[in-house]
C-alpha cells in the first residue's frame, strides 16, 4: 500500500506564559492511501495536536510531516478537518453550510463541485433538508452535513477529531456506520481521533496507540475483520480480545 | 376566499383558543391600565386634589398639543428631534461597528486601547457638553455629536465582545479551509454577532434619545428638549408635559421599528 501521510520524528512544544509544554516528543507513523486509521491515547496526550499539525494549523517544532511525500505546507488544499462538534453556522441553510468551503475557495460557480454537493446530499438522505436551518436537524444528521461540507472540497485526507462523541450511543453507532460507508465509498483516507476503543476497533484498518503526554507512538495494531460494517465488526469473536489488548496498552 | 381546512384535535383547538383568548385579555388589560391611569389623573386634577398647574392633566395636555400644532411649530420641533436622533443613532451605530471591526482585526491595537475604552465608557458624556459647543457650535450639530458620544463607546464595546466571543473552533474550521482573515470576518464573525447587533440597536434607540434631549437642553433653538426647557423656564408645565408625551410616542415608535430585528436573529 502506498502511504499518504507520514510523521517523521515530529516534536511540538506549546509556549505559554508559565512554561513550555512538550506535547509531542518525536512521533512517527504513517497512514496508507484509502485506509482508515485511528489515533487512541490517554486524555490530553496530544491527539488534537497531531491533527492540527497535519491540517497546517500548527507548525512542528522539529521533524517532518509529509503528505504524498511533500511537506504538508505545500499541500494545503488537500486536507479536510472535522471537529468534535459539527460547527454548522446557524444563520446559513444546510446548502449554504455545505458550500462554505467552496465560497472560501471562490469555487461557488464551479458546476462540477456543485453537482458533487447535490449528489452527496441526495446519496445521504439530506436533499430534502437542503433549505432547512441546522437547528431543524437531529444531531446525527448535522454530523453528516458536517462531513459532506468537508467532502465537497474533495480532500485527499480526512481528519476526524472525536466527531461522534457529542452524540448519544444509539445515534453514534448509526452515524459511525454512515460515515464509514461514506468514507469507504468515496475512497477517502481518514485519520480518526477517538476516546472510544470499540469505535476505533470497529472502524479502523490500523490503530495507532499513543503514550501519555508528551506523546510518542506506543504500538500500532493492524486490523482485518472479515465483516463489512462497523456495527457487524463489533460482533466478531476476536473483538473483545483486541479491546482488552488496547485497554492494557492505554493504562 | 377559500378557507383552509385543518383538522385539529379537540385538545389542540382548545389550546389554541385559550392561547388567543389569553392574548386578547392581556391587550384589554393593558388598555384598561392606561385608561384608568388617565382617568384617575384627570379626576384628581378636575377635583383639584392635585394642583393641575404642577401636575397638568390629560385634557390640558391634549389641548396644549393641539395648540402647539396650530400655533407653536410642534411639527418642526418633532422633526428636529427625530432628525437629530436618527442621524446620531445611525452614525453612532456605524462608527461603533467599524471601530469594533478594527479592534477585532488588530489584537495589539485592542490591547493598547482597552484602558482608554474603559475610561471613556465610564465618563458621563454630559460633562463634555460645554466642550462640544466650543468645538462644533450650538444647535443641531452639537446635539448630534452628543448623541454619538453617548452611543458610540457602548456600541464598540458590545460589538467587540460579540466578535471576540466567537467560538474558536469555528475559526479553526474556517482556517482549516484556508479562509483569509477578511473571509473569517465576513462569513463568520459578523453574522455570528448579528443577535448582539440587534440588541445594540435596541439599546441605542433609547441612548440616542437621551443624547438628543441632553444636547437640546444644553443649547438649541428647536426640538422637544428645547420645548421642555422653554416650557419649564416660563412655568408653562402643560407644554413640558405635552412634549414628554410626544417624546414618549416617538421614542417607542422607533423602538418598535428595530425590535423585530432582535426577534428575527435571537432564535
Ligand atoms: N494552546 C495550548 N497552549 C498550551 N498548552 C496546550 C494548548 N493546547 C493543548 N495544550 C496541551 O497540550 C497537551 C496535548 O493537547 P491535545 O489537545 O493535543 O490533547 P488531546 O489528546 O487531544 O486531549 P483530549 O483527549 O482531551 O482531546 C495537553 O496537555 C494540553 O494541556
Ligand atoms: Mg483533543
Amino acid at each position: 500500500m502506498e502511504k499518504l501521510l507520514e510523521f517523521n520524528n515530529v516534536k511540538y512544544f506549546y509556549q505559554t506564559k508559565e512554561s513550555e509544554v512538550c506535547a509531542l516528543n518525536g512521533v512517527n507513523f504513517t497512514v496508507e492511501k484509502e485506509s482508515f486509521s485511528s489515533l487512541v491515547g490517554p486524555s490530553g496526550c496530544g491527539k488534537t495536536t497531531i491533527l492540527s499539525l497535519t491540517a497546517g494549523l500548527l507548525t512542528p517544532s522539529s521533524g517532518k510531516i509529509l503528505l504524498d511525500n511533500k511537506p504538508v505546507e505545500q499541500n494545503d488544499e488537500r486536507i479536510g478537518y472535522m471537529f468534535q462538534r459539527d460547527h454548522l453556522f446557524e444563520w446559513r441553510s444546510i446548502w449554504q453550510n455545505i458550500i462554505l468551503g467552496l465560497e472560501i475557495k471562490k469555487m461557488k460557480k464551479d458546476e462540477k463541485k456543485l453537482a458533487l454537493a447535490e449528489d452527496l446530499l441526495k446519496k445521504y438522505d439530506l436533499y430534502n433538508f437542503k433549505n432547512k436551518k441546522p437547528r431543524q436537524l437531529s444531531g446525527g444528521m448535522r454530523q453528516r452535513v458536517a462531513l459532506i461540507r468537508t467532502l465537497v472540497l474533495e480532500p485527499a485526507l480526512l481528519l476526524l477529531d472525536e466527531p461522534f462523541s457529542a452524540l448519544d450511543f444509539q445515534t453514534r453507532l448509526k452515524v459511525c456506520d454512515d460515515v464509514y460507508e461514506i468514507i469507504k465509498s468515496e475512497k477517502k483516507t481518514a485519520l480518526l481521533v477517538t476516546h472510544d476503543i470499540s469505535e476505533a476497533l470497529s472502524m479502523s484498518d490500523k490503530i495507532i496507540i499513543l503514550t501519555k503526554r508528551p506523546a510518542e507512538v506506543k504500538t500500532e495494531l493492524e486490523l482485518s475483520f472479515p465483516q463489512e460494517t462497523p456495527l457487524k465488526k463489533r460482533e466478531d469473536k476476536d473483538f473483545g480480545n483486541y479491546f482488552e489488548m488496547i485497554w492494557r496498552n492505554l493504562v | 376566499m377559500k378557507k383552509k381546512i385543518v383538522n385539529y384535535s379537540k385538545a389542540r383547538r382548545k389550546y389554541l383558543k385559550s392561547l388567543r383568548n389569553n392574548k386578547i385579555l392581556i391587550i384589554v388589560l393593558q388598555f384598561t391600565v392606561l385608561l384608568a391611569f388617565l382617568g384617575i389623573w384627570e379626576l384628581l386634577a378636575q377635583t383639584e386634589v392635585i394642583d393641575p398647574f404642577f401636575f397638568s392633566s390629560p385634557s390640558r395636555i391634549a389641548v396644549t398639543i393641539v395648540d402647539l400644532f396650530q400655533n407653536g411649530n410642534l411639527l418642526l420641533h418633532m422633526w428636529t428631534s427625530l432628525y437629530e436622533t436618527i442621524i446620531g443613532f445611525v452614525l453612532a451605530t456605524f462608527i461603533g461597528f467599524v471601530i469594533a471591526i478594527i479592534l477585532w482585526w488588530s489584537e495589539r491595537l485592542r490591547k493598547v486601547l482597552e484602558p482608554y475604552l474603559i475610561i471613556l465608557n465610564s465618563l458621563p458624556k454630559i460633562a463634555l457638553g460645554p466642550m462640544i459647543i466650543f468645538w462644533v457650535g450650538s444647535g443641531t450639530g452639537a446635539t448630534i455629536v452628543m448623541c454619538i458620544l453617548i452611543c458610540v463607546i457602548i456600541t464598540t464595546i458590545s460589538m467587540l465582545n460579540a466578535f471576540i466571543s466567537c467560538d474558536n473552533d469555528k475559526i479553526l474550521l474556517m482556517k482549516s479551509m484556508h479562509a483569509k482573515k477578511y473571509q473569517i470576518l465576513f462569513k463568520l464573525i459578523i453574522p455570528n454577532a448579528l443577535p448582539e447587533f440587534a440588541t445594540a440597536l435596541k439599546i441605542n434607540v433609547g441612548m440616542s434619545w437621551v443624547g438628543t434631549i441632553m444636547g437640546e437642553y444644553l443649547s438649541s433653538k428647536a426640538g422637544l428638549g428645547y420645548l421642555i426647557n422653554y416650557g419649564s423656564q416660563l412655568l408653562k408645565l402643560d407644554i413640558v408635559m405635552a412634549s414628554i408625551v410626544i417624546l414618549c410616542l416617538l421614542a417607542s415608535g422607533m423602538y418598535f421599528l428595530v425590535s423585530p430585528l432582535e426577534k428575527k436573529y435571537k432564535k
Side-chain angles (χ1 to χ4, degrees):
Chain A
M1 271 261 225
E2 223 180 319
K3 64 176 183 272
L4 179 65
L5 176 71
E6 180 177 359
F7 264 58
N8 205 330
N9 202 20
V10 173
K11 297 190 181 183
Y12 189 81
F13 296 89
Y14 281 104
Q15 300 296 344
T16 64
K17 244 182 270 172
E18 295 77 30
S19 63
E20 190 176 60
V21 179
C22 179
L24 307 184
N25 190 22
V27 169
N28 293 291
F29 67 87
T30 58
V31 171
E32 278 69 39
K33 260 185 193 147
E34 290 179 34
S35 74
F36 200 119
S37 308
S38 293
L39 285 167
V40 297
S43 177
C45 73
K47 303 180 291 292
T48 301
T49 309
I50 291 178
L51 295 195
S52 299
L53 284 163
T54 311
L57 299 172
L58 300 172
T59 322
S61 308
S62 71
K64 277 204 188 74
I65 305 173
L66 301 174
L67 187 72
D68 257 349
N69 296 316
K70 281 173 257 152
V72 267
E73 307 87 83
Q74 296 167 19
N75 258 315
D76 52 11
E77 301 296 322
R78 314 201 42 223
I79 289 170
Y81 200 154
M82 199 172 153
F83 292 76
Q84 177 171 1
R85 284 177 295 140
D86 53 65
H87 293 302
L88 298 181
F89 293 0
E90 291 297 337
W91 56 89
R92 287 174 164 244
S93 67
I94 298 305
W95 175 253
Q96 288 168 330
N97 265 291
I98 283 176
I99 61 166
L100 175 70
L102 297 181
E103 278 181 26
I104 290 171
K105 302 213 156 120
K106 308 240 155 75
M107 299 194 294
K108 217 166 64 173
K109 300 250 158 59
D110 188 328
E111 296 293 335
K112 254 182 141 167
K113 296 275 183 185
L114 291 178
L116 172 66
E118 295 231 348
D119 272 0
L120 287 169
L121 273 178
K122 278 187 193 135
K123 213 148 124 200
Y124 304 111
D125 289 336
L126 288 160
Y127 195 73
N128 293 336
F129 296 89
K130 198 176 161 195
N131 297 317
K132 294 264 191 307
K133 287 280 161 69
R135 86 179 81 86
Q136 293 166 293
L137 271 60
S138 70
M141 292 162 96
R142 293 174 61 119
Q143 219 39 273
R144 271 183 286 155
V145 173
L147 179 62
I148 294 176
R149 175 181 61 192
T150 320
L151 288 176
V152 166
L153 293 170
E154 298 184 278
L157 175 62
L158 271 168
L159 305 173
L160 311 165
D161 197 349
E162 302 187 45
F164 314 117
S165 57
L167 305 172
D168 64 84
F169 191 67
Q170 290 283 325
T171 320
R172 187 169 173 160
L173 292 181
K174 174 81 175 68
V175 176
C176 273
D177 255 23
D178 290 349
V179 167
Y180 183 83
E181 219 273 311
I182 297 172
I183 288 172
K184 283 293 175 190
S185 67
E186 306 295 327
K187 293 206 169 10
K188 295 295 173 201
T189 311
L191 179 57
L192 169 80
V193 163
T194 176
H195 270 120
D196 184 335
I197 298 173
S198 50
E199 189 173 287
L201 275 172
S202 67
M203 296 184 81
S204 322
D205 304 311
K206 172 157 87 181
I207 298 182
I208 300 155
I209 303 169
L210 300 168
T211 62
K212 65 179 197 298
R213 188 178 67 82
E216 287 173 51
V217 174
K218 195 166 184 182
T219 36
E220 288 185 10
L221 182 63
E222 303 274 353
L223 297 164
S224 55
F225 290 109
Q227 293 85 348
E228 300 253 297
T229 71
L231 210 53
K232 288 189 185 133
K233 284 187 196 173
R234 284 173 188 260
E235 286 159 11
D236 193 277
K237 58 182 186 344
D238 290 330
F239 199 86
N241 297 336
Y242 280 122
F243 188 100
E244 230 163 83
M245 186 185 141
I246 297 175
W247 178 256
R248 264 184 277 116
N249 265 300
L250 279 178
V251 287
Chain B
M1 207 175 78
K2 233 166 85 184
K3 243 195 183 152
K4 219 164 117 192
I5 300 164
V6 195
N7 280 323
Y8 287 134
S9 73
K10 210 170 169 185
R12 174 97 188 130
R13 271 202 305 264
K14 205 168 150 195
Y15 170 77
L16 286 177
K17 198 172 169 195
S18 78
L19 209 65
R20 199 171 49 233
N21 286 346
N22 208 14
K23 212 170 162 185
I24 294 172
L25 183 67
I26 297 281
I27 292 173
V28 167
L29 285 177
Q30 282 169 338
F31 272 101
T32 315
V33 168
L34 178 67
L35 288 178
F37 175 71
L38 292 178
I40 293 172
W41 185 4
E42 184 68 38
L43 192 75
L44 292 178
Q46 295 278 349
T47 54
E48 307 226 338
V49 175
I50 56 172
D51 186 344
F53 178 78
F54 287 117
F55 291 96
S56 193
S57 74
S59 60
R60 288 174 66 138
I61 290 173
V63 170
T64 313
I65 288 178
V66 172
D67 183 54
L68 281 173
F69 253 120
Q70 287 164 346
N71 314 314
N73 282 333
L74 182 58
L75 276 182
L76 173 74
H77 293 301
M78 282 168 68
W79 167 247
T80 306
S81 291
L82 197 60
Y83 165 83
E84 289 163 347
T85 308
I86 291 176
I87 301 277
F89 168 80
V90 170
L91 283 179
T93 309
F94 178 76
I95 296 170
F97 195 79
V98 171
I99 297 177
I101 288 177
I102 294 170
L103 294 183
W104 172 82
W105 194 279
S106 162
E107 189 176 348
R108 181 166 297 151
L109 190 64
R110 176 163 83 234
K111 293 252 158 77
V112 170
L113 294 186
E114 207 170 17
Y116 298 103
L117 270 182
I118 294 170
I119 292 170
L120 283 177
N121 189 40
S122 51
L123 175 78
K125 275 42 135 210
I126 183 78
L128 293 173
M131 301 311 296
I132 296 175
I133 293 171
F134 279 118
W135 295 332
V136 293
S138 62
T140 304
T143 307
I144 292 175
V145 171
M146 179 59 91
C147 231
I148 294 175
L149 281 179
I150 285 190
C151 300
V152 80
I153 306 291
I154 192 72
T155 309
T156 305
I157 291 177
S158 64
M159 287 324 297
L160 183 59
N161 277 337
F163 289 164
I164 53 189
S165 69
C166 181
D167 191 334
N168 198 39
D169 277 358
K170 285 202 168 78
I171 296 176
L172 283 182
L173 171 78
M174 296 281 287
K175 282 190 179 158
S176 81
M177 295 175 169
H178 302 281
K180 310 254 175 358
K181 197 163 184 177
Y182 78 90
Q183 289 176 317
I184 295 178
L185 176 68
F186 286 110
K187 290 191 192 301
L188 173 60
I189 300 295
I190 291 180
N192 187 54
L194 280 183
E196 281 84 357
F197 182 67
T199 307
L201 282 186
K202 224 165 98 172
I203 294 172
N204 281 355
V205 167
M207 298 287 259
S208 52
W209 277 104
V210 172
T212 296
I213 299 302
M214 266 172 22
E216 288 176 353
Y217 279 178
L218 273 172
S219 89
S220 64
K221 299 193 178 56
L224 293 170
Y226 164 83
L227 210 55
I228 293 173
N229 216 359
Y230 164 86
S232 68
Q233 308 253 317
L234 297 182
L235 281 181
K236 289 186 178 171
L237 298 188
D238 287 336
I239 293 188
V240 176
M241 287 304 245
S243 312
I244 291 173
V245 168
I246 290 177
L247 181 61
C248 237
L249 293 177
L250 286 181
S252 38
M254 214 165 134
Y255 179 88
F256 284 120
L257 278 182
V258 288
S259 67
L261 271 183
E262 198 184 23
K263 259 207 199 105
K264 186 175 160 201
Y265 291 123
K266 277 251 161 88
K267 255 181 206 156

